[in-house]
Amino acid sequence: MSSKQEAVKTVKAETKLPPVPEAVLKRRKVNLAKAEALKKKIAENKKAAVIKRRVVFKKAEQYVREYKKAEGEELRFKRQARKNNNFYVPPQAKVAVVIRIRGINQIAPKPRKILQLLRLRQINNAVFIRLTSATVNMLRIVEPYIAYGYPNLKTVKELVYKRGFAKVDGKRLPIVDNQIVENNLGKQGLVCVEDLVHELFTAGPGFKAAANFLWPFKLNPPRGGFNQVTRSYCDGGDFGNREDEINKLVHRMI
């Protein structure tokens, strides 16, 4: 009987699990704490994303109301002027979209340098520029190599949404979400793409940062081609100031 009991004890002793090392217990505890922290962080990020999304929607609605109000005011002024047998002169444009339409052949050093300052290094590149006395003089010097005019809201939106790329650390990155805008333009109060469009269209205080944040737009040759790039737009050509007619050219090149 004693031999059987001893045999049972021996089997139990052999099947008994060895104690878990203290290092393994510590590792398990650390991993568990990390998992809990990660879970908590994900929940906080989801909550912050919901709040941020609401803010973005409110901003977008505010901008729509602002655009509609400005459009209504302009229409009212036009009707009032027509009623009084007069003419309505719209305010001077603040922003221009500039497109390079000619290459580097037979170009003087000064216009070449100005095109580099405007970031127009390739044919069919386009940029937004704030219209000041300095920039207007620069545009006049390089006028034989560019087509420019005053963009409307639809043109600005299409360029940003369809052809917009961000310049981050010297790299050309697609604007896939609002986070890339907030990370680079958050100091200027721009947290979403709608903020970026509004700043460019209205030439706000953060226009310079917003324009430099965007990589120069790479457009296609216009559908139907150019008429004659060596002649002015006023003479039936293509280069020079098109004013509001630049929107038709941009739509043909997007």
Side-chain angles (χ1 to χ4, degrees), residues 28-79:
R28 288 178 183 175
K29 187 175 181 180
V30 170
N31 292 339
L32 184 62
K34 286 183 178 179
E36 291 293 333
L38 181 61
K39 188 177 180 181
K40 184 178 179 181
K41 187 176 180 181
I42 291 174
E44 291 177 354
N45 290 341
K46 285 185 178 180
K47 187 175 180 180
V50 171
I51 297 174
K52 191 180 297 183
R53 197 177 301 118
R54 291 175 182 171
V55 172
V56 170
F57 282 143
K58 286 183 179 179
K59 281 191 172 185
E61 292 175 354
Q62 177 186 349
Y63 293 150
V64 169
R65 288 194 297 269
E66 180 181 338
Y67 299 144
K68 285 186 177 180
K69 183 179 178 181
E71 187 177 352
E73 287 289 324
E74 185 175 1
L75 184 61
R76 183 174 65 85
F77 288 145
K78 287 182 179 179
R79 288 174 177 173

Side-chain angles (χ1 to χ4, degrees), residues 162-253:
K162 293 183 178 181
R163 294 298 178 123
F165 282 80
K167 183 174 65 175
V168 181
D169 298 330
K171 298 179 181 179
R172 184 172 182 258
L173 302 178
I175 304 176
V176 294
D177 55 12
N178 293 326
Q179 192 63 39
I180 189 172
V181 178
E182 185 178 3
N183 292 341
N184 293 275
L185 299 176
K187 295 181 180 179
Q188 282 75 27
L190 309 179
V191 297
C192 61
V193 180
E194 282 298 325
D195 286 341
L196 183 62
V197 171
H198 180 265
E199 201 72 12
L200 293 171
F201 181 64
T202 60
F207 177 86
K208 183 178 180 180
N212 290 332
F213 166 72
L214 290 172
W215 197 278
F217 302 104
K218 295 185 177 183
L219 305 180
N220 294 325
R223 291 186 296 273
F226 288 113
N227 294 329
Q228 192 173 357
V229 295
T230 56
R231 296 182 65 181
S232 172
Y233 180 72
C234 299
D235 298 332
D238 290 299
F239 75 76
N241 188 1
R242 297 182 175 223
E243 297 186 355
D244 295 335
E245 295 297 317
I246 193 66
N247 298 297
K248 297 179 181 179
L249 177 64
V250 172
H251 295 328
R252 288 166 53 204
M253 299 180 73

Side-chain angles (χ1 to χ4, degrees), residues 87-174:
F87 295 97
Y88 169 71
V89 179
Q92 189 174 4
K94 299 179 181 178
V95 180
V97 57
V98 185
I99 306 172
R100 181 167 180 172
I101 61 174
R102 293 181 63 185
I104 61 173
N105 291 340
Q106 299 178 353
I107 181 172
K110 189 172 183 180
R112 184 197 297 263
K113 183 62 178 179
I114 292 177
L115 288 173
Q116 290 178 359
L117 293 176
L118 297 177
R119 302 189 300 156
L120 298 172
R121 296 177 177 270
Q122 296 177 339
I123 299 177
N124 298 332
N125 274 10
V127 293
F128 290 110
I129 292 178
R130 189 200 299 268
L131 291 177
T132 61
S133 59
T135 55
V136 168
N137 291 333
M138 293 170 67
L139 293 177
R140 286 174 181 167
I141 294 174
V142 297
E143 192 168 280
Y145 307 94
I146 60 173
Y148 66 99
Y150 316 133
N152 55 23
L153 179 61
K154 182 181 178 182
T155 299
V156 177
K157 280 190 174 182
E158 286 190 350
L159 282 174
V160 173
Y161 279 101
K162 293 183 178 181
R163 294 298 178 123
F165 282 80
K167 183 174 65 175
V168 181
D169 298 330
K171 298 179 181 179
R172 184 172 182 258
L173 302 178

